[in-house]
Amino acid sequence: MAKTPTQPGSPAARAAQAIAAVEPAKAASSKANAPAEKVRLFSRYRSWFNGKVGRPTATYYWIIGTTVTLTLIGRMTVLSASTAETISEGKDPYELFIRESQFAVGGLILMFILSCVPPRVLRKLGWPLLILALVLLALIFSPLGIDINGNLNWLALGPVTFQPSEAAKLALAIWIGAVLSLKGTLVRQFVHVLLPVGAGGAAVLGLILGGKDLGTAIIVGMMILSGLMFAGVRKWLLGLALVAAAIVAIVFSAMSSNRTGRFASWLGDCSEPGACDQYLNGVYALASGGWFGVGLGQSRQKWSWIPEAHNDFIFAIIGEEFGLLGTLVILALYAVMAFAIFRIINTRNEPFSRIVCGMILTWIIGQAVVNIAVVVGLLPVIGVPLPLISYGGTALVMVLAAIGVVLSFSRTEPESTLKTS
């Protein structure tokens, strides 16, 4: 039977018009609510994720911000500082930058993964990590070890080349934190400091010094001293450890003509050809930068005047290209990071977090202070990179991993007003 057309103005026509008007309104409403639904879905997922790994605190974001900023500045400066040498050698000027950027991406991913690992899991990894670090350090004395510039501190496992001493820093921090946190008040007794912390620390330092890497050994020694301090050992034990470390450093410096030459040039003895070139050209770079620098990529000292400008003396290139203002920005970023990490230490009443974060703080900020002091001439050249900025894949990845460990304490423990004892 044929359907009769709806007459205009009839009740059926008015109903059809109402339905036609409602349908677009429903469609428009559903489209408008789609972003809100996505926001609610993301909020539910974030709440679920934070419930599993812990809710980030304000300190967490301060550390993330400074870390990413320093890493980006470092990759930009490495590109600027390394192109001079690679061009002069006929290589791809972007080779080092691309390789370092890959390490940076991998390190940031590792940092995020470790930031989600609960501290109780990290504590259980203390002994396995130390044993693995000792094995890797011992392997540098095998045919797998590589001697670079007189230091036997590189290991080649197939296509992978890395510095086991950088990994040993993080392993030592977690292990010492795990051991000393279990001892409680026994850390005030000499025998409980000597065994096993003293023996384990001495083993790591001995293997590093066996490879003639005095610079890394100094940083590791500083980390061990800070770990003992944050654990609350007696002051006379800290003093004894400090004297022993100073004696070892002096003896190993005296055993190397290269190190004694560096010390003599730092004191002003430039009689040997080229003895003071690196230090003097670093100072020239800082001086020529003025207040605002000569501009990104415009450094003159990187053109073979400063050896390894993209590595240990990269702070001089920053000073030349970005001026005093650029160097102050770098110092401010390290200061904010130090404050944020110390805030984690000061708001946790659990020894494991205090010791681990304290040792990592000493590692990153202490190494930065040493590197900058070398560049400005306050210390002799000892060959340690500027954390997160200097070229070096192993160092970059391990520093980012260490920051991930610090972040894990920031997300898994609530903010508090507890003070360290």
Side-chain angles (χ1 to χ4, degrees):
M1 177 174 155
K3 189 173 182 180
T4 304
T6 304
Q7 298 296 323
S10 66
R14 287 194 296 271
Q17 290 174 356
I19 293 173
V22 169
E23 290 300 330
K26 287 183 177 180
S29 176
S30 62
K31 290 181 180 179
N33 290 333
E37 287 294 332
K38 291 181 180 179
V39 171
R40 285 194 290 269
L41 180 62
F42 174 76
S43 179
R44 287 196 297 269
Y45 172 76
R46 184 178 62 180
S47 299
W48 172 83
F49 184 76
N50 290 339
K52 294 293 184 180
V53 301
R55 184 176 299 277
T57 62
T59 306
Y60 178 94
Y61 294 108
W62 279 108
I63 297 175
I64 285 285
T66 53
T67 299
V68 173
T69 303
L70 285 169
T71 302
L72 293 176
I73 292 174
R75 305 301 61 77
M76 176 182 63
T77 313
V78 164
L79 174 62
S80 174
S82 64
T83 51
E85 291 188 17
T86 52
I87 290 175
S88 63
E89 295 174 359
K91 299 179 180 178
D92 181 2
Y94 299 103
E95 178 184 357
L96 298 182
F97 168 73
I98 294 173
R99 185 188 308 167
E100 190 74 355
S101 298
Q102 292 171 344
F103 282 114
V105 172
L108 289 171
I109 294 173
L110 179 60
M111 178 184 73
F112 176 76
I113 293 174
L114 289 175
S115 72
C116 301
V117 177
R120 65 179 182 274
V121 176
L122 292 173
R123 189 198 298 266
K124 294 178 181 178
L125 293 175
W127 278 101
L129 287 176
L130 178 71
I131 294 172
L132 178 61
L134 290 173
V135 170
L136 293 176
L137 286 171
L139 284 177
I140 64 174
F141 301 103
S142 71
L144 298 175
I146 301 175
D147 190 313
I148 298 179
N149 297 328
N151 289 344
L152 186 62
N153 56 358
W154 289 84
L155 194 63
L157 296 177
V160 180
T161 303
F162 64 98
Q163 287 181 283
S165 57
E166 294 295 329
K169 293 176 183 177
L170 181 57
L172 195 62
I174 295 175
W175 175 72
I176 289 180
V179 170
L180 292 182
S181 63
L182 293 176
K183 288 184 175 292
T185 57
L186 293 176
V187 297
R188 302 184 67 82
Q189 300 180 22
F190 176 75
V191 66
H192 287 280
V193 176
L194 183 63
L195 296 173
V197 172
V204 172
L205 282 173
L207 290 171
I208 294 174
L209 288 172
K212 303 179 181 179
D213 191 357
L214 181 61
T216 301
I218 290 175
I219 302 301
V220 171
M222 292 168 54
M223 290 177 61
I224 295 174
L225 287 174
S226 69
L228 296 176
M229 182 187 70
F230 283 106
V233 304
R234 294 184 181 276
K235 293 182 179 179
W236 69 268
L237 283 176
L238 286 175
L240 181 63
L242 183 61
V243 170
I247 294 174
V248 171
I250 293 173
V251 170
F252 273 84
S253 296
M255 292 171 58
S256 171
S257 59
N258 183 32
R259 297 192 188 99
T260 55
R262 291 180 179 181
F263 189 77
S265 62
W266 175 64
L267 295 176
D269 182 8
C270 300
S271 56
E272 294 293 330
C276 299
D277 287 355
Q278 191 173 31
Y279 159 66
L280 290 177
N281 288 321
V283 174
Y284 293 156
L286 292 171
S288 61
W291 287 96
F292 303 105
V294 298
L296 178 62
Q298 302 302 312
S299 168
R300 293 179 290 272
Q301 296 299 322
K302 68 183 180 183
W303 290 92
S304 301
W305 291 102
I306 300 179
E308 300 290 334
H310 56 284
N311 201 338
D312 298 346
F313 268 68
I314 199 168
F315 188 74
I317 305 302
I318 293 175
E320 184 180 9
E321 295 190 344
F322 297 100
L324 178 63
L325 180 62
T327 60
L328 291 178
V329 168
I330 298 299
L331 294 176
L333 289 170
Y334 280 123
V336 172
M337 178 183 288
F339 173 78
I341 297 177
F342 187 76
R343 190 165 181 262
I344 295 175
I345 298 171
N346 203 38
T347 54
R348 268 68 183 171
N349 201 33
E350 199 276 316
F352 178 64
S353 61
R354 292 204 311 268
I355 296 170
V356 175
C357 291
M359 293 182 68
I360 292 174
L361 172 67
T362 304
W363 168 9
I364 298 174
I365 305 303
Q367 187 168 312
V369 170
V370 170
N371 177 275
I372 294 171
V374 167
V375 173
V376 300
L378 296 178
L379 289 175
V381 177
I382 58 176
V384 294
L386 188 60
L388 298 173
I389 295 182
S390 292
Y391 176 80
T394 307
L396 176 61
V397 170
M398 295 316 303
V399 169
L400 289 172
I403 293 174
V405 170
V406 173
L407 291 174
S408 72
F409 294 107
S410 181
R411 11 183 359 143
T412 53
E413 296 182 28
E415 294 287 348
S416 68
T417 56
L418 294 173
K419 302 296 181 183
T420 56
S421 57

